[in-house]
Amino acid sequence: MAWGSGDWLTRILAVSDIHGSRSGSLAVRDFINKYSPDLLIVCGDITHFGPASWARDFFNSIHIPVMAVNGNCDTNDVIALLGKDTDRNLMNRHRQFQKLEIVGLQHPLDDSFEFPEKIDILVSHVPPKGCNDFIRAGHIGDMWLNQVIEERKPRLLISGHVHESRGICTLGRTICLNPGPAKEGFGAIIDIGEDVTPKLVETTAKL
């Protein structure tokens, strides 16, 4: 999206935890039709323990650029499928989209990953400790991500995994976003240019 003289804006649809569900895939298509995003980012748990064929068919049904990381419910065949897809694979990779520098982390997290100098958006399946990670037993986020955020200062972190902790919070200067489980009709729209403006959305389509 081009806005004004010299200004720029990219619109991103962020979803997580589709879990191979028809409701999740319908929600994604509804969000695309309603909000016209430039890019879809999927934060893992594309499937519910496979099969890879479901992930392949889902990705092939999306007609905008897609970047995705795996989650704990994505089996090795799903990871292999995504790993072969150079256009969509964001697992332990650094990608550029328009003016944005996007980094994705593979699940489980690998603390030997070498980060680039600049990160606009960091994508992880699991959240950091203390932000979008609360369940009845307490906070279950990953402390290493807190260290990454403190050191690398991404403008935005997108994660999923914790279905109960949908929301937007901040760690330092970083906005942290959990769009909620797509299988329940949840997602998020992020308008990002000079500023980062995330908004939680819910489908109105019949799932």
Side-chain angles (χ1 to χ4, degrees), residues 141-177:
D142 191 284
M143 279 297 300
W144 177 67
L145 273 179
N146 295 66
Q147 180 181 340
V148 170
I149 289 169
E150 182 178 354
E151 293 178 354
R152 301 293 174 172
K153 297 177 174 57
R155 299 171 66 196
L156 174 68
L157 168 72
I158 311 172
S159 63
H161 185 54
V162 186
H163 297 198
E164 304 92 329
S165 203
R166 180 183 191 232
I168 302 169
C169 59
T170 57
L171 288 174
R173 298 179 181 178
T174 300
I175 297 172
C176 300
L177 168 68

Side-chain angles (χ1 to χ4, degrees), residues 19-63:
H19 286 283
S21 64
R22 179 176 180 273
S23 58
S25 62
L26 288 175
V28 171
R29 293 188 190 96
D30 183 56
F31 293 143
I32 291 172
N33 291 335
K34 184 174 182 179
Y35 296 104
S36 300
D38 302 298
L39 173 68
L40 169 63
I41 291 179
V42 184
C43 304
D45 282 358
I46 305 155
T47 67
H48 194 66
F49 304 103
S53 58
W54 193 95
R56 182 193 62 233
D57 292 344
F58 169 74
F59 286 132
N60 288 342
S61 73
I62 304 300
H63 300 297

Side-chain angles (χ1 to χ4, degrees), residues 68-70 79-80 82-83 88-93 104-106:
V69 298
N70 68 306
I79 294 170
L82 187 57
R88 300 182 180 118
N89 180 16
L90 197 58
M91 300 183 299
N92 284 2
R93 294 191 68 189
L105 299 175
Q106 186 164 346

Side-chain angles (χ1 to χ4, degrees), residues 36-205:
S36 300
D38 302 298
L39 173 68
L40 169 63
I41 291 179
V42 184
C43 304
D45 282 358
I46 305 155
T47 67
H48 194 66
F49 304 103
S53 58
W54 193 95
R56 182 193 62 233
D57 292 344
F58 169 74
F59 286 132
N60 288 342
S61 73
I62 304 300
H63 300 297
I64 63 171
V66 180
M67 296 183 188
V69 298
N70 68 306
N72 58 293
C73 292
D74 292 316
T75 48
N76 288 336
D77 60 337
V78 177
I79 294 170
L81 173 75
L82 187 57
K84 293 177 182 177
D85 194 329
T86 56
D87 291 331
R88 300 182 180 118
N89 180 16
L90 197 58
M91 300 183 299
N92 284 2
R93 294 191 68 189
H94 169 221
R95 304 283 303 278
Q96 186 172 42
F97 184 82
Q98 296 180 1
K99 294 186 178 183
L100 298 171
E101 303 293 333
I102 305 173
V103 172
L105 299 175
Q106 186 164 346
H107 184 84
L109 296 174
D110 177 5
D111 62 8
S112 67
F113 179 72
E114 295 186 9
F115 289 90
E117 187 68 25
K118 177 189 175 186
I119 306 174
D120 290 302
I121 301 173
L122 181 62
V123 181
S124 168
H125 181 57
V126 299
K129 188 82 168 183
C131 197
N132 300 328
D133 72 329
F134 187 76
I135 61 173
R136 287 185 181 182
H139 293 281
I140 61 170
D142 191 284
M143 279 297 300
W144 177 67
L145 273 179
N146 295 66
Q147 180 181 340
V148 170
I149 289 169
E150 182 178 354
E151 293 178 354
R152 301 293 174 172
K153 297 177 174 57
R155 299 171 66 196
L156 174 68
L157 168 72
I158 311 172
S159 63
H161 185 54
V162 186
H163 297 198
E164 304 92 329
S165 203
R166 180 183 191 232
I168 302 169
C169 59
T170 57
L171 288 174
R173 298 179 181 178
T174 300
I175 297 172
C176 300
L177 168 68
N178 177 349
K183 72 171 188 173
E184 297 178 19
F186 297 126
I189 292 292
I190 306 110
D191 288 330
I192 180 168
E194 297 303 320
D195 298 314
V196 180
T197 307
K199 178 176 71 172
L200 298 173
V201 295
E202 183 175 354
T203 185
T204 55

